[in-house]
């Protein structure tokens, strides 16, 4: 009709279209970073290129591994949400805890920021802006630290507080150990190389050795002979060791002592490797290296045994993939015998290769070490599924037992009825 107003209808793109658009932008951004970074590296001389890449890799590879861990943790939470495992109850999380969507959002931002800073670092250094290049990793670390420690109600304050409180309880196990405490401490043992590289990066930043070659000298304060390197590697294992001793003090269970023994086997692997820089080469080859190999085998096999015997319940190995709604993943993974063999074989192989990363004398092969560290995070990713499910099944069984004990038996009901007079 003439003169009638036509209501305006807002046309919104579909969520699928928005998701595809974001993926395209993400891929374009990745291609731009790779192109700029490659061109920047090719501008350098061949003798300087390897040293510079080693240094650049040191600053950014631990943050890339952290981003990978966050991505995989989001996948863990997504699978828990699809299955019957109540992970919020297992970890005693509040109603406002982060879901897999928020975890993916955090991982996305970290994945965007870290390579962008690395690309700027490479570009500025190759074009002669050394001071500006040196500021890139410093600014990145400072921003991430401020976001993590910010007391303001932004960037998921309650979740950050929960994480920092758990970290504090791990470092000082002066109270009863809860499942989130030793669960996060176990994850930290898989990220010991991350802590070691973070320590070396911060050391160079504090001593103003970023974008210089002075840090490469072995006798420098941040050089390859520094005792801080094995200390940073062993620190997560010592935290977990003290947790086990604290659990034994509270429960008097001998299993805690055997678990503590498992973490103690990582100590000789780390310190025997570090001795290479403090003894004569022939002494290292003839005496210390065989000891290092023996301790590595003991640590790998003991840890593998503990995974399959204590941390997991192999009788229900694939029930975690029995989703509430029909899914392709359920058909692919639930009840499949190949998953059983894959978990055992991959866990054994990666347990053995993990000692390579714990060895300070092998750290100069940085691409190999980075690959092994990423594979260890993937091993921990699959470990999380079965460890959390095992804990949830224990909690459910305990609850069912308590409920059954509250129900009176038939004999109790007959005795109770005879005690009443009509």
């Amino acid at each position: 009709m003439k003169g009638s107003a036509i209501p305006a209808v807002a046309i919104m793109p579909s969520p699928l279209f928005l998701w595809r658009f974001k993926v395209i932008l993400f891929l374009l951004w990745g291609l731009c970073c790779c192109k700029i970074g490659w061109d920047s590296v090719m501008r350098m001389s061949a003798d300087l290129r390897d040293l510079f890449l080693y240094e650049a890799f040191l600053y950014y590879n631990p943050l890339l591994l952290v981003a990978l861990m966050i991505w995989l943790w989001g996948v863990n939470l997504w699978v828990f949400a699809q299955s019957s495992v109540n992970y919020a109850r297992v970890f005693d999380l509040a109603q406002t805890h982060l879901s897999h969507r928020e975890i993916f959002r955090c991982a996305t931002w970290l994945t965007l920021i870290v390579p962008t800073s690395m690309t700027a670092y490479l570009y500025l250094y190759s074009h002669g802006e050394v001071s500006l290049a040196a500021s890139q990793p410093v600014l990145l670390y400072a921003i991430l630290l401020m976001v993590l420690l910010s007391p303001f109600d932004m960037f998921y304050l309650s979740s950050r507080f929960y994480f920092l409180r758990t970290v504090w309880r791990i470092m000082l196990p002066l109270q009863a150990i809860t499942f989130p405490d030793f669960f996060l401490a176990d994850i930290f043992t898989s990220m010991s190389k991350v802590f070691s590289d973070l320590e070396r990066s911060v050391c160079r930043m504090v001593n103003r050795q970023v974008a210089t070659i002075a840090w490469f000298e072995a006798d420098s304060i941040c050089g390859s002979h520094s005792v801080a390197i094995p200390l940073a590697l062993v620190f997560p294992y010592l935290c977990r060791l003290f947790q086990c001793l604290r659990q034994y003090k509270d429960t008097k269970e001998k299993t805690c002592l055997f678990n503590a023994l498992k973490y103690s086997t990582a100590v000789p692997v780390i310190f025997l490797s570090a001795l290479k820089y403090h003894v004569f080469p022939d002494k290292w080859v003839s005496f210390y290296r065989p000891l290092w190999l023996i301790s590595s085998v003991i640590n790998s096999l003991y840890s593998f045994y503990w995974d399959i015997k204590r941390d997991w319940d192999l009788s229900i190995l694939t029930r975690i993939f029995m989703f509430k709604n029909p899914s392709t993943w359920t058909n692919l993974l639930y009840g499949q015998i190949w998953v059983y063999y894959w978990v055992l074989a991959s866990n054994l192989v990666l347990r053995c290769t993990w000692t390579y990363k714990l060895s300070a004398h092998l750290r100069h092969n940085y691409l190999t070490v980075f690959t092994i560290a990423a594979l260890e995070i993937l091993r921990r990713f699959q470990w999380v599924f079965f460890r959390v499910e095992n804990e949830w099944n224990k909690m459910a069984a305990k609850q069912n037992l308590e409920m059954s004990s509250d129900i009176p038996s038939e004999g109790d009901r007959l005795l109770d009825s005879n005690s009443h007079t009509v």
Side-chain angles (χ1 to χ4, degrees):
M1 293 177 63
K2 281 187 177 182
S4 62
I6 300 177
V9 179
I11 301 176
M12 295 294 294
S14 66
L16 181 60
F17 174 80
L18 290 176
W19 183 82
R20 290 176 176 174
F21 183 69
K22 292 177 182 178
V23 170
I24 292 174
L25 289 179
F26 186 82
L27 293 176
L28 290 175
W29 162 85
L31 290 174
C32 290
C33 287
C34 291
K35 180 67 168 59
I36 296 173
W38 178 261
D39 292 342
S40 301
V41 170
M42 290 298 104
R43 287 173 57 94
M44 304 178 191
S45 59
D47 56 342
L48 182 63
R49 189 180 303 157
D50 290 339
L51 292 178
F52 179 74
L53 283 178
Y54 182 82
E55 184 192 13
F57 202 73
L58 175 66
Y59 301 137
Y60 293 101
N61 94 86
L63 299 180
L64 292 175
L65 291 173
V66 170
L68 175 62
M69 188 73 248
I70 297 175
W71 278 111
L72 295 178
W73 175 243
V75 176
N76 287 134
L77 295 189
W78 177 80
V79 173
F80 295 148
Q82 305 304 313
S83 64
S84 58
V85 175
N86 188 349
Y87 69 89
R89 184 180 170 191
V90 171
F91 292 102
D92 194 22
L93 299 176
Q95 295 267 349
T96 57
H97 68 84
L98 299 185
S99 68
H100 61 275
R101 294 182 180 85
E102 286 81 17
I103 296 296
F104 286 148
R105 191 175 295 118
C106 295
T108 301
W109 278 109
L110 190 59
T111 307
L112 288 171
I113 293 172
V114 174
T116 300
S117 176
M118 185 174 181
T119 303
Y121 179 70
L122 295 173
Y123 178 84
L124 292 171
Y125 188 91
S126 63
H127 286 76
E129 301 290 343
V130 179
S131 59
L132 287 177
S135 67
Q136 298 305 307
V138 178
L139 287 175
L140 177 62
Y141 276 59
I143 291 172
L144 293 178
L145 184 63
M146 287 189 295
V147 170
L148 181 63
L149 301 180
S150 173
F152 303 106
D153 192 6
M154 59 179 65
F155 304 119
Y156 311 117
L157 175 61
S158 59
S159 297
R160 287 189 288 108
F161 176 76
Y162 178 89
F163 173 77
L164 293 174
R165 184 188 62 182
T166 306
V167 172
W168 179 257
R169 290 167 60 93
I170 291 172
M171 296 174 63
L172 292 175
L174 304 178
Q175 63 289 312
I177 308 301
T178 62
F179 181 77
D181 296 339
F182 66 76
F183 180 85
L184 184 59
D186 273 330
I187 292 179
F188 282 170
T189 60
S190 293
M191 304 182 71
S192 57
K193 182 62 168 60
V194 172
F195 297 132
S196 175
D197 286 346
L198 287 175
E199 181 276 327
R200 298 177 70 197
S201 300
V202 173
C203 179
R204 286 160 174 68
M205 295 174 189
V206 172
N207 291 277
R208 298 183 178 182
Q209 294 181 359
V210 182
T212 65
I213 307 300
W215 63 267
F216 196 70
E217 299 174 1
D219 57 350
S220 68
I221 190 172
C222 304
S224 57
H225 295 195
S226 173
V227 296
I229 296 173
L231 290 177
L233 286 171
V234 81
F235 183 71
Y237 293 91
L238 293 181
C239 290
R240 193 68 185 90
L241 171 64
F242 290 134
Q243 282 185 334
C244 294
L245 297 178
R246 171 69 198 203
Q247 282 184 303
Y248 176 74
K249 177 179 179 297
D250 295 336
T251 64
K252 303 302 180 183
E253 295 182 1
K254 292 184 178 179
T255 306
C256 300
L257 295 180
F258 289 114
N259 199 15
L261 180 62
K262 180 192 72 172
Y263 293 103
S264 67
T265 58
V267 177
V269 178
I270 295 171
F271 284 100
L272 285 173
S273 173
L275 280 177
K276 180 183 179 180
Y277 297 106
H278 303 281
V279 297
F280 293 109
D282 56 343
K283 189 71 173 178
W284 159 255
V285 173
S286 62
F287 183 73
Y288 290 108
R289 188 168 67 177
L291 289 179
W292 168 73
L293 290 173
I294 294 173
S295 60
S296 299
V297 172
I298 294 174
N299 173 256
S300 300
L301 295 181
Y302 197 167
S303 300
F304 172 73
Y305 165 80
W306 198 269
D307 283 342
I308 63 175
K309 189 67 176 178
R310 296 292 181 179
D311 287 349
W312 300 344
D313 184 356
L314 297 183
S315 63
I316 54 170
L317 190 59
T318 62
R319 290 186 186 178
I320 188 69
F321 302 113
M322 186 174 62
F323 293 171
K324 301 173 186 176
N325 301 319
S327 172
T328 304
W329 293 107
T330 298
N331 299 331
L332 181 64
L333 300 175
Y334 175 63
Q336 301 296 324
I337 191 65
W338 70 267
V339 177
Y340 179 88
Y341 291 113
W342 164 259
V343 169
L344 292 181
S346 62
N347 194 67
L348 176 60
V349 172
L350 294 177
R351 276 294 189 184
C352 293
T353 57
W354 183 232
T355 56
Y356 185 100
K357 180 208 68 64
L358 292 179
S359 305
H361 73 282
L362 302 172
R363 60 177 170 264
H364 291 300
N365 304 324
Y366 58 92
L367 289 178
T368 304
V369 173
F370 176 80
T371 302
I372 292 177
L375 290 175
E376 167 61 16
I377 289 177
L378 289 173
R379 187 199 67 82
R380 184 62 66 178
F381 159 71
Q382 73 177 15
W383 175 90
V384 166
F385 286 125
F386 310 119
R387 185 65 187 90
V388 174
E389 183 190 28
N390 192 20
E391 186 67 19
W392 168 245
N393 290 330
K394 290 179 181 178
M395 294 176 64
K398 182 179 180 181
Q399 183 181 9
N400 293 336
L401 182 62
E402 292 176 350
M403 292 178 61
S404 62
S405 63
D406 292 338
I407 301 176
S409 64
E410 185 69 21
D412 293 337
R413 288 197 297 268
L414 290 175
L415 290 174
D416 186 66
S417 62
N418 292 334
S419 64
H420 291 79
T421 58
V422 180

